[in-house]
Amino acid sequence: MNYRAWQLKTADAAGEQSLAAAGYGPLLARVLAARGVTTPGAAAQWLEEQAPLSDPFLLKDMERAVERIQTAVENGEPIVIFGDYDVDGVSATAILYECLTSLGAQVRCKLPSRDGGGYGITRDALEKLAAKGYTLVVTVDNGISAVEETAFARELGIDLVITDHHLPPETLPDAVAVVDPKRSDDSSPFKDLCGAGVAFKLCAALEGCEDPAELLEPFGELAALGTIADVMPLVGENRTIVREGLSVLQDTMRPGLQALLENAGCAGKPVTAETVSYSLAPRLNAAGRMDSAAVALKLLLCENEEQAAGIAARLSEINADRQHTEQQIAAAALEKLAADPARTRDRVIVVAGEGWHPGVIGIVASRLMEKYGRPVIVISTENGEGRGSGRAPGAFNLHAGLCACASCLLRYGGHSAAAGLTIEEEKIGAFRKAINDWAAREYPVPKPVVLSLDAAVRISELTVPAVQQLARMAPFGGGNPVPLLLICGAVVDGVWPLGNEGRHTRLRLRQGNATCFVSVFGTAPDDLPYRVGMTVDAAVEVSIFQGRSGPMVSAHCKAIRPADLGNAPSEQAAWFEALLAGTALPRDQRLACLPTRAETAAIYRMIRSGTVFAEDLQPVFAAAGPQNTGKTLASITALLELGLIERRGSRFQPVAVSAKKDLSAAPILQKLAGPDGDQPE
């Protein structure tokens, strides 16, 4: 169970007062100060000024890349752009294609497919290109790890110019040029460009721009698409690219993007980073996940409005298919885990299924990670081979785990939070054991996932002008998330279903005479353990929407818990989960999780009353005492082990039994008591 530790940023009263005195609204001043922006000058620079785009030739090997490409252009030598199938790779491909064709180059684009070899340039692809006579390939958003492939290309007479933004291996590919800001010997000032950002810089170098910002008008919206979709930090040069790119996208002259906006229902509305993240990027990504990334590239390059409308409609259909497939695979994965609950206690959850669509397993892994609060790897098997995608919370280094298990894998790559792998199906069991053994050594008691809160607020402070001022911090995304605000001690004043199907909930929270409506997505009212009259703390994101009578504040609940619960439950839950996963806890932690018979009986009475919700036990923790969270979890586990309770729907319910059960026989209680039969202190 995923119980996060709420962490409120340290308030900076002096900085807040300084900003307020300079005319910044109190809510904006509080959030800025909490994020370390404490002076009017720093605030003005953050909110209004733009970081200059650095000289592209500061990137290592940029001169060599430009020289080789210009030689090809001058000699009429065809150039192949080898991209990737996600939004960043497709956007990077489109940027470089348009730039090279404008310079008079003969250009062909090549995008990999998930079903045809997967990410990155391959020997097979190189052989086919060589057979057709191509002698220059420029990669975008890939290639930094293609050491063997680059050597093979050289044997075939193909020159490779690699442009990428991923972490390089110890040995770089022996290419004509390797342009990657994350190279250890790269001296360029900004390291967080995405693949499209690096391609943008290459184009600025090819065009001979004194200031790369000259290319923001023709290419900024494509670079912004890649930057936002790849969840890059929206700071420094990325913030400049995204701000300007969104401005261009607002009134785009590209028929493809205009058709995409219209199809997504976003035409005529303000275009924000959220528009890209939640409306445009999923449609573009769906092509590479479910069909062919070439469909997305064709849309970005399309110059005919009628044709663009047709491609956009096709992408919408593919995206709907992606959503349906994702739901099916997520349900199948949950069913497999439910059939073997011990697997959900692993430090790294590994779940595999035959024929699961490889294009969506990464999304499923993300959803399972959110549910269980731990790393998850989802593997699709076919013809004796598995292709996996993993996601991990911030404190866990997934890539390091794969490195430690390299002997089990055919291929792997990625970074700490997300990674992919290829494995022989027969080795999946050994891999699950190996990565969990590694995690047990490196993370014996995993730290709780942290929910970072920007500032505490009163409901009365959430006025339209105050929330409108917060919007000045946009664009929001990686490195600059939407402000998350903490409302403490609010009374639940109303609970209603939200949406036609009633799958979501709308709450009214009250503090004194001030109220606000808060949406809770993904939980129906009957499944929500917070009832009218309860006092809660809520973590919310706020925005403005146009209501019938004008602008109104909208609040989205990211987390909710009983008021004053604190973080003791998240810490003890981590102990308990570590124990279930096989960690030998220190005696004091072990006994802190060992309940008395009376404490377990009290939990059983709560379950009989129908007030224990399986997905959110925080109200139970509050009732039993936050310091007794481990005991509460142990009591519920023991009752489940003895068959005295079961989960029905969203709640735990008692089971009718014909004979008396010996509570001390529950395996979890025996484990907590230890070999000496310790008792709670």
Side-chain angles (χ1 to χ4, degrees), residues 54 57 116 158 173 197 394 443 465 478 483 524 548 572 591 667:
S54 59
F57 284 102
I158 295 177
Y443 306 92
R548 294 177 181 176
Q572 289 200 17
L591 294 184

Side-chain angles (χ1 to χ4, degrees), residues 39-371:
T39 66
Q45 184 176 15
W46 173 253
L47 297 174
E48 298 158 20
E49 298 177 10
Q50 295 192 153
L53 301 183
S54 59
D55 182 349
F57 284 102
L58 293 176
L59 285 158
K60 185 74 173 178
D61 274 8
M62 183 62 83
E63 289 187 7
R64 297 174 64 182
V66 169
E67 181 181 350
R68 180 63 181 90
I69 293 171
Q70 286 179 338
T71 298
V73 174
E74 292 167 2
N75 295 336
E77 178 185 1
I79 302 171
V80 175
I81 302 171
F82 197 98
D84 190 19
Y85 41 59
D86 65 0
V87 176
D88 187 21
V90 172
S91 299
T93 302
I95 290 170
L96 189 55
Y97 175 83
E98 289 192 350
C99 173
L100 291 177
T101 53
S102 71
L103 294 174
Q106 299 179 44
V107 189
R108 179 193 169 186
C109 298
K110 172 68 176 174
L111 299 175
S113 68
R114 294 177 190 266
D115 293 332
Y119 170 81
I121 196 162
T122 63
R123 293 172 65 96
D124 182 59
L126 288 167
E127 281 185 319
K128 290 178 179 177
L129 292 173
K132 294 179 180 179
Y134 291 104
T135 52
L136 175 59
V137 175
V138 182
T139 74
V140 291
D141 193 32
N142 74 94
I144 194 64
S145 298
V147 176
E148 294 181 4
E149 290 81 2
T150 302
F152 184 61
R154 190 177 293 277
E155 293 176 11
L156 295 173
I158 295 177
D159 287 342
L160 275 184
V161 170
I162 292 172
T163 74
D164 203 346
H165 71 113
H166 296 98
L167 285 170
E170 290 185 11
T171 302
L172 291 176
D174 185 19
V176 171
V178 179
V179 181
D180 187 330
K182 288 192 172 66
R183 284 181 58 163
S184 60
D185 57 350
D186 181 270
S187 60
S188 61
F190 189 71
K191 303 299 182 183
D192 289 319
L193 293 169
C194 66
V198 177
F200 175 85
K201 286 292 188 80
L202 173 59
C203 292
L206 287 166
E207 294 278 5
C209 298
E210 292 185 8
D211 180 1
E214 296 174 28
L215 293 186
L216 285 173
E217 184 173 348
F219 300 135
E221 56 195 331
L222 295 177
L225 280 177
T227 303
I228 296 168
D230 230 39
V231 199
M232 304 306 296
L234 298 191
V235 298
E237 295 191 32
N238 280 345
R239 190 168 174 82
T240 299
I241 290 171
V242 170
R243 268 187 169 176
E244 291 302 304
L246 290 175
S247 177
V248 176
L249 184 58
Q250 182 70 62
D251 299 302
T252 183
M253 300 299 291
R254 293 178 179 272
L257 289 177
Q258 182 59 43
L260 194 64
L261 286 164
E262 291 175 358
N263 193 275
C266 301
K269 300 177 182 178
V271 176
T272 66
E274 289 77 15
T275 306
V276 173
S277 294
Y278 299 113
S279 297
L280 306 188
R283 286 169 165 79
L284 292 168
N285 258 332
R289 292 184 184 280
M290 307 296 295
D291 193 293
S292 167
V295 181
L297 179 62
K298 188 175 181 180
L299 180 72
L300 295 183
L301 298 176
C302 184
E303 298 180 355
N304 179 280
E305 292 183 4
E306 184 176 348
Q307 186 182 28
I311 300 172
R314 173 62 184 144
L315 283 177
S316 186
E317 292 174 358
I318 296 172
N319 190 48
D321 183 32
R322 187 270 304 170
Q323 291 172 323
H324 178 67
T325 303
E326 173 194 326
Q327 291 167 1
Q328 286 184 318
I329 294 174
L334 287 170
E335 186 176 340
K336 282 179 174 287
L337 294 174
D340 185 8
R343 296 170 68 179
T344 64
R345 299 169 183 168
D346 286 352
R347 290 171 176 81
V348 181
I349 296 175
V350 178
V351 58
E354 178 75 24
W356 288 352
H357 199 296
V360 300
I361 55 176
I363 305 175
V364 174
S366 293
R367 294 190 181 280
L368 294 178
M369 181 193 73
E370 286 294 321
K371 177 178 176 64

Side-chain angles (χ1 to χ4, degrees), residues 459 487 490-493 507-511 514-516 518 536 538:
I459 290 176
I487 300 173
V491 177
V492 178
D493 199 43
L507 301 178
R508 184 171 61 213
L509 301 182
R510 180 182 297 278
Q511 281 180 330
T515 62
C516 69
V518 178
V536 300

